[in-house]
Amino acid sequence: MASSSAEREPGWRARLRELGLTPSKALGQNFLHDHAIVRRIAESAGIGPDDTVLEIGPGLGILTEELATLARRVVAVELDDRLAEYLPTVLPANVELVHADALEIDPPALVGADYLVVANLPYSVGNAILRRMLEAVPPPRALTIMVQREVAERMAASPPEMSLLAIGVQFYGRPRVLFRVGGGAFIPAPRVESAVVRIETQPPPLPLAEHAAFFRVVHAGFAQRRKQLGNVLSTGLFIERPAIAAALSKAGIATTE
């Protein structure tokens, strides 16, 4: 007996139709629907049967369902009112839906001290969400995230190509670009290529009390790339040049770089 068109309809398309939902540009919604990519992301996350996974932005829940087959518990944080109401009706029992802004949550308070993060991050606020995850105390053991390809490559860059983003990410962990994802894996299809990055977190090299000072130095150093480092730091940090020169000399860095 032939299947009806509704029975043959992909799950993501059926959910969009049932919700009467059009992806929101304001929320940066590009829903992942390619099941081959979904499985690859889930398998890359290193999830064990006793693990808790924090997913940011479950969208239509396609990746969430895959994560739920691997993890003991999935906590999915969704900002969209319509999706937050709908998803609990279709997701497995080991998925908890939290209706919240990922920029305002305290990850350990939601999921406990031992967890993994998996996310298809919106391009517009992806870096801000990533920073919140990395700065959490305690942070996740690892993050497997999808971002714009250029952003992924900047995260994993090595000297002399490092940027503020690379330093910010590598201060907290070891990023590695796993694979690229074309626009056809999303609805609507973005005009840019995406990539999946895995970040294994590690203890920062400085005590927490020194983090703010470290990043002030980093921001000052990147403020004016074409000027000599000694001049840039003394201006950006409001410290006299002789003191900056002495500190750079002690670190083995020329002030003329």
Side-chain angles (χ1 to χ4, degrees):
M1 181 176 174
S3 299
S4 69
S5 58
E7 290 172 334
R8 294 195 303 270
E9 187 174 41
W12 63 269
R13 196 182 298 279
R15 289 179 183 179
L16 281 176
R17 178 176 49 78
E18 185 173 346
L19 281 162
L21 180 66
T22 299
S24 168
K25 290 185 178 180
L27 296 178
Q29 290 176 332
N30 295 90
F31 296 134
L32 180 65
H33 68 80
D34 186 313
H35 280 276
I37 297 298
V38 163
R39 284 191 295 272
R40 194 172 178 187
I41 292 171
E43 291 168 359
S44 299
I47 301 167
D50 295 323
D51 280 331
T52 294
V53 175
L54 174 61
E55 184 189 14
I56 305 299
L60 297 174
I62 309 302
L63 176 58
T64 317
E65 290 175 322
E66 191 70 27
L67 298 174
T69 67
L70 301 174
R72 178 182 63 85
R73 177 186 178 217
V74 177
V75 178
V77 177
E78 177 56 56
L79 178 59
D80 188 292
D81 296 342
R82 299 160 299 176
L83 290 170
E85 182 179 357
Y86 172 75
L87 286 174
T89 68
V90 295
L91 291 176
N94 63 334
V95 176
E96 175 187 347
L97 199 291
V98 176
H99 185 196
D101 186 338
L103 290 172
E104 298 177 358
I105 63 169
D106 177 4
L110 279 181
V111 296
D114 185 14
Y115 61 104
L116 299 166
V117 167
V118 180
N120 170 26
L121 293 178
Y123 293 155
S124 57
V125 293
N127 288 354
I129 293 174
L130 175 60
R131 178 177 177 179
R132 190 165 188 87
M133 298 299 111
L134 290 173
E135 292 181 349
V137 181
R141 296 201 318 268
L143 303 91
T144 305
I145 57 174
M146 183 147 54
V147 294
Q148 190 172 336
R149 178 179 60 81
E150 289 84 353
V151 173
E153 292 171 350
R154 284 168 51 208
M155 287 182 192
S158 301
E161 303 300 327
M162 293 185 80
S163 62
L164 278 171
L165 176 62
I167 293 173
V169 172
Q170 293 178 36
F171 185 80
Y172 295 102
R174 300 182 300 275
R176 182 165 55 98
V177 180
L178 301 182
F179 55 91
R180 297 180 179 183
V181 180
F186 304 89
I187 181 71
R191 296 180 180 179
V192 296
E193 193 173 31
S194 299
V196 174
V197 181
R198 182 169 170 82
I199 305 170
E200 300 278 352
T201 59
Q202 60 191 7
L206 296 172
L208 180 60
E210 298 180 18
H211 289 191
F214 170 79
F215 283 108
R216 280 200 302 272
V217 172
V218 172
H219 278 270
F222 277 91
Q224 301 177 67
R225 290 172 177 259
R226 290 178 176 80
K227 291 193 175 182
Q228 292 186 355
L229 185 58
N231 292 334
V232 171
L233 291 178
S234 61
T235 301
L237 300 176
F238 303 102
I239 299 173
E240 293 185 359
R241 185 174 170 79
I244 293 291
L248 290 174
S249 177
K250 185 176 180 180
I253 301 172
T255 59
T256 55
E257 291 187 6

